[in-house]
Amino acid sequence: GGSDGAGGGGGSSYASMALTSGVSHQAGVRSGNGAVVLRYTFAPKVIAFALMSPNTVSTRASYSLEFDQYVFDLDPTDFSFNGSVYGCAIPFIYGGGSSYYFDVVNCSSGTLELSLRPNSVVGSTFGPTATSSSASVKFDPIAPGFRFTTPASPSNAATQVFYLIGDEPFQEPPASAFAISGINCRIADIAMNNSTTAAITVGECASETQVSISLRARSLRDLSGNQGPTADVNSNSVKLDRVAPSVSSITLGENLPDNVQYLVTFSEPVTGIGSDSFEVSGLGCSISKVEGSAASYVVWIGGCLGTSNFKVVSGAGRDQASNQGPDADYKFDEQVFDTTSPNAAIEIQERSDSTAMPVFAIQFSEVIVGLTLDVFSSSGSAKGCTFELREVTPNLNYSLESSACSPGTVQLTLAANSVKDVGGNTGPEVAISSSLVRIEKPEQPDPAEAIATPSSVGSPNGAPLTPTQNEPSFNQPGVEESDKRSWPSGVNLPQLANESWVAISIALLAVVLARRSSGRRVIRR
């Protein structure tokens, strides 16, 4: 009836008079049974919009698009580009029917969210009825950058780990991406610590070498597929040192009576050196001080009363690579300490006679230094003495020659603690004196014997003496060669003899004064 909610089934020709009017029935339109035909249409739907590339790409992202029915009229303008990128384009769309494929290119760095606009295609009708979007994709067209962190140098480790750090996530590198320098060095392992850090372990290097690593240009890819770095990247160099430091030498420094220096030199700079790095043995010996740095140190040993033994103990210090050395004790030859003061003796050398100037012989008990004329003094009754110091045996025996002494006694004295031996001991402990030596006055010629005359000189009558009368002998003492002449008339011979003696005395005094040599020191009481 149409008004009671009944279905539209056929077969009835009833029509309510109350509800209809002008009803007419017509037969023969169709013979046989009746037929019902139902027709309808629906908009096409997107059943898959997939990103076929990784979610991070360098310059190209690939997509697939599936509809639930055949559609047509799909073109690049049907898509919208959303996100932080710009400049994107879809050059071509491949496929047909219900399946299509296409690429997105030329995007800048950033994130892309691609969408299909509503009613952009035609199927049974226009569709889809709503926007369809794919998964987001990150565009990264920039090549990755890298740097190395280098182990501490110097190092004594068996292996060295270099860390390669990228400015963005990158793929695990192959060994061929690296070049290694260093004697016998090899890559032992490569491992990714995280997405931006790789650990490269280098081993088998020689004990002493310089090792470094290089990343070759365009040898790695980031997750977008960009190749990098744009140029070789080099690490710093690591000095390998697995050799323990050794002692190069031990020598003696300043040697004092109560202290001696040992100068210790190592093969390379070391640290950790102190009193416990050394050992000394011997009566009374002890280490009083240690000074120095790098490879050179000074060790002071004091109190030794005889011999001592000194050594650098094994493992005394560490080098910059933390190697501890020396590997074994390093001993110094036994050292004999001299704690005895030098002594001396003064003797008088034999003289030709008691009038000769004495010569003093000074003999020391050991080699000494610092002997000068100033450390001597003289005493006695002799006046005007001059002394000259001569070395007989170097630094051991000396002679002290005197001159210009007046008759009398003289004694030579060496002051206490006036010299030093090679060990620095001063001596002698007390002043050393020679025996007292006497210098006699030379015998003087007798003027009466110089002229042989009778008690009454001259002729009996007092006439002048001729040269042939009692002429003095010129070979007699007191008569100088200059007196060989004819006596003038009227000369009284005794008076002449007295005048000659005065001349002789003046000449002797001149000789004494002349013997005072320049630079000789006169030691007076």
Side-chain angles (χ1 to χ4, degrees):
S3 62
D4 55 2
S12 173
S13 59
Y14 169 77
S16 174
M17 294 299 291
L19 300 174
T20 59
S21 64
V23 176
S24 66
H25 298 275
Q26 185 176 1
V29 175
R30 180 179 176 80
S31 62
N33 298 327
V36 176
V37 177
L38 302 178
R39 290 185 175 89
Y40 64 91
T41 60
F42 60 91
K45 295 181 180 179
V46 175
I47 60 175
F49 193 173
L51 176 66
M52 299 175 64
S53 301
N55 58 5
T56 301
V57 296
S58 57
T59 58
R60 182 183 298 271
S62 299
Y63 296 86
S64 66
L65 184 61
E66 294 285 338
F67 294 94
D68 65 347
Q69 58 183 276
Y70 278 52
V71 296
F72 60 93
D73 200 24
L74 179 67
D75 62 51
T77 61
D78 295 329
F79 296 92
S80 63
F81 303 97
N82 305 304
S84 59
V85 295
Y86 58 88
C88 297
I90 299 175
F92 300 103
I93 297 178
Y94 307 94
S98 61
S99 299
Y100 295 87
Y101 307 92
F102 59 91
D103 294 330
V104 176
V105 297
N106 298 335
C107 292
S108 66
S109 295
T111 301
L112 169 65
E113 293 178 356
L114 186 64
S115 299
L116 178 65
R117 296 186 177 95
N119 301 316
S120 57
V121 295
V122 179
S124 298
T125 182
F126 286 98
T129 58
T131 300
S132 298
S133 299
S134 72
S136 64
V137 60
K138 179 181 179 181
F139 274 86
D140 175 18
I142 300 174
F146 298 92
R147 62 184 176 87
F148 282 105
T149 61
T150 306
S153 178
S155 173
N156 66 351
T159 59
Q160 304 298 316
V161 180
F162 295 82
Y163 291 96
L164 177 66
I165 300 174
D167 56 12
E168 60 178 304
F170 61 91
Q171 302 172 14
E172 182 173 331
S176 60
F178 302 98
I180 307 298
S181 66
I183 301 174
N184 300 332
C185 292
R186 302 286 185 273
I187 292 180
D189 183 56
I190 298 175
M192 293 296 294
N193 284 11
N194 52 56
S195 63
T196 59
T197 304
I200 300 94
T201 303
V202 178
E204 301 182 28
C205 296
S207 294
E208 294 185 283
T209 188
Q210 298 277 349
V211 58
S212 62
I213 187 170
S214 296
L215 175 64
R216 294 186 171 97
R218 300 180 60 81
S219 60
L220 295 184
R221 293 180 182 270
D222 60 17
L223 299 185
S224 304
N226 301 300
Q227 287 182 308
T230 56
D232 290 355
V233 176
N234 302 316
S235 73
N236 292 330
S237 180
V238 179
K239 178 183 178 181
L240 299 188
D241 178 8
R242 293 192 284 270
V243 178
S246 60
V247 177
S248 299
S249 66
I250 300 178
T251 57
L252 285 175
E254 185 177 0
N255 191 358
L256 302 174
D258 57 349
N259 222 333
V260 65
Q261 293 177 352
Y262 287 96
L263 309 181
V264 181
T265 303
F266 290 90
S267 59
E268 58 183 309
V270 292
T271 58
I273 298 297
S275 296
D276 56 353
S277 303
F278 310 96
E279 286 185 7
V280 61
S281 61
L283 183 60
C285 295
S286 63
I287 297 175
S288 59
K289 184 170 61 173
V290 176
E291 287 185 346
S293 62
S296 299
Y297 292 84
V298 181
V299 184
W300 276 264
I301 305 298
C304 291
L305 300 178
T307 60
S308 72
N309 291 283
F310 176 78
K311 67 180 179 182
V312 182
V313 299
S314 62
R318 292 179 180 273
D319 62 15
Q320 292 178 318
S322 295
N323 299 299
Q324 198 161 359
D327 291 331
D329 292 351
Y330 190 97
K331 299 180 179 179
F332 185 72
D333 293 338
E334 184 177 73
Q335 173 68 17
V336 178
F337 284 86
D338 178 9
T339 60
T340 304
S341 298
N343 206 351
I346 303 177
E347 296 181 353
I348 302 170
Q349 293 184 357
E350 184 177 351
R351 297 185 294 167
S352 58
D353 55 58
S354 60
T355 65
M357 295 293 105
V359 176
F360 299 90
I362 302 100
Q363 182 175 2
F364 289 93
S365 59
E366 58 183 308
V367 172
I368 56 93
V369 292
L371 182 66
T372 65
L373 191 60
D374 293 333
V375 301
F376 294 95
S377 63
S378 67
S379 60
S381 60
K383 307 298 181 182
C385 291
T386 299
F387 296 91
E388 184 174 357
L389 182 65
R390 299 182 185 276
E391 189 176 60
V392 179
T393 303
N395 300 313
L396 190 63
N397 295 325
Y398 297 82
S399 69
L400 200 63
E401 300 177 2
S402 65
S403 61
C405 293
S406 69
T409 59
V410 65
Q411 186 177 39
L412 188 68
T413 300
L414 173 65
N417 298 317
S418 56
V419 296
K420 290 184 178 181
D421 62 15
V422 293
N425 303 293
T426 59
E429 294 180 352
V430 297
I432 303 297
S433 298
S434 69
S435 59
L436 192 67
V437 59
R438 179 173 294 278
I439 304 173
E440 300 290 346
K441 180 178 180 181
E443 292 185 4
Q444 300 297 332
D446 189 351
E449 296 177 356
I451 303 175
T453 62
S455 56
S456 176
V457 180
S459 61
N461 57 6
L465 184 66
T466 64
T468 59
Q469 293 177 318
N470 298 326
E471 184 173 344
S473 171
F474 293 105
N475 294 325
Q476 294 179 3
V479 180
E480 298 290 340
E481 187 69 22
S482 59
D483 291 331
K484 294 181 179 182
R485 62 186 183 278
S486 298
W487 300 107
S489 61
V491 176
N492 185 277
L493 288 181
Q495 179 183 1
L496 178 60
N498 291 335
E499 291 175 355
S500 297
W501 172 245
V502 172
I504 291 172
S505 299
I506 293 173
L508 287 174
L509 179 59
V511 170
V512 170
L513 293 176
R515 291 187 61 185
R516 294 184 179 179
S517 62
S518 60
R520 293 185 179 182
R521 180 171 176 266
V522 178
I523 302 178
R524 303 181 183 276
R525 289 190 297 148

